[in-house]
Amino acid sequence: MEIKIVTNEQELQDAFTVRKIVFIDEQQVPEEEEIDQYDEEATHFVVYQDQLPIAAGRFRVFEGAGKVERICVMKDQRKIGAGRFIMTQIEDYAKEQGLSTIKLNAQTHAIPFYSGLGYEVVSEEFLDAGIPHRAMKKSI
């Protein structure tokens, strides 16, 4: 696996392709909710396996903390460590930016994954794009 911080249009389109397949096609999130105004300001990450994009996510600074968003892995690539790999790289990037806290909004089914990475639930359940979520955070 190889991870890239997006620096060109092709890499950005690779990130959007993974997000479209996972969130829009698989999870039925409306496209107007998935692609939003924060995409322009975010730093995007793409994981490649055999030169094909298999995972993506984005990162931005929000209220003095790192905010991890849109983490997704192609269905046939889950369970190979791509999610853990992208999260570790994003956390390293956040540390390089001088941040000490990372926040994210996890789909409730993914809470065990993020808990395994050291994140703690810090909110009650809420809906985002019709999907149950809970806010989580981690000190890095």
Side-chain angles (χ1 to χ4, degrees):
M1 275 184 286
E2 173 190 17
I3 191 162
K4 290 187 178 182
I5 296 175
V6 168
T7 60
N8 63 51
E9 187 61 28
Q10 181 58 58
E11 292 166 352
L12 184 60
Q13 290 310 309
D14 288 345
F16 287 159
T17 295
V18 176
R19 286 171 50 184
K20 179 186 182 302
I21 291 168
V22 173
F23 294 124
I24 298 170
D25 297 345
E26 184 182 329
Q27 296 184 356
Q28 302 299 303
V29 172
E31 186 170 358
E32 59 273 10
E33 290 184 49
E34 170 51 30
I35 305 299
D36 64 20
Q37 71 273 21
Y38 301 116
D39 280 317
E40 291 182 18
E41 69 183 58
T43 300
H44 297 267
F45 294 77
V46 183
V47 176
Y48 294 90
Q49 178 83 16
D50 298 325
Q51 301 181 336
L52 296 174
I54 63 164
R58 74 180 187 194
F59 174 87
R60 59 192 180 98
V61 178
F62 180 73
E63 297 179 349
K67 182 104 190 284
V68 176
E69 301 171 317
R70 305 300 199 266
I71 299 298
C72 54
V73 178
M74 300 286 269
K75 192 171 194 171
D76 64 346
Q77 297 295 317
R78 294 177 191 154
K79 307 294 183 200
I80 66 166
R84 179 176 294 273
F85 182 61
I86 196 169
M87 287 300 297
T88 300
Q89 299 301 311
I90 291 173
E91 288 175 9
D92 289 347
Y93 179 82
K95 289 176 194 173
E96 291 170 8
Q97 306 307 306
L99 299 167
S100 60
T101 303
I102 294 185
K103 299 177 180 181
L104 55 84
N105 293 333
Q107 294 182 8
T108 54
H109 74 85
I111 289 172
F113 168 74
Y114 291 113
S115 294
L117 296 174
Y119 288 81
E120 296 179 13
V121 173
V122 295
S123 79
E124 296 299 317
E125 190 172 295
F126 61 92
L127 292 178
D128 185 2
I131 300 170
H133 284 69
R134 293 184 75 182
M136 301 183 82
K137 76 175 187 177
K138 176 181 178 178
S139 295
I140 55 172

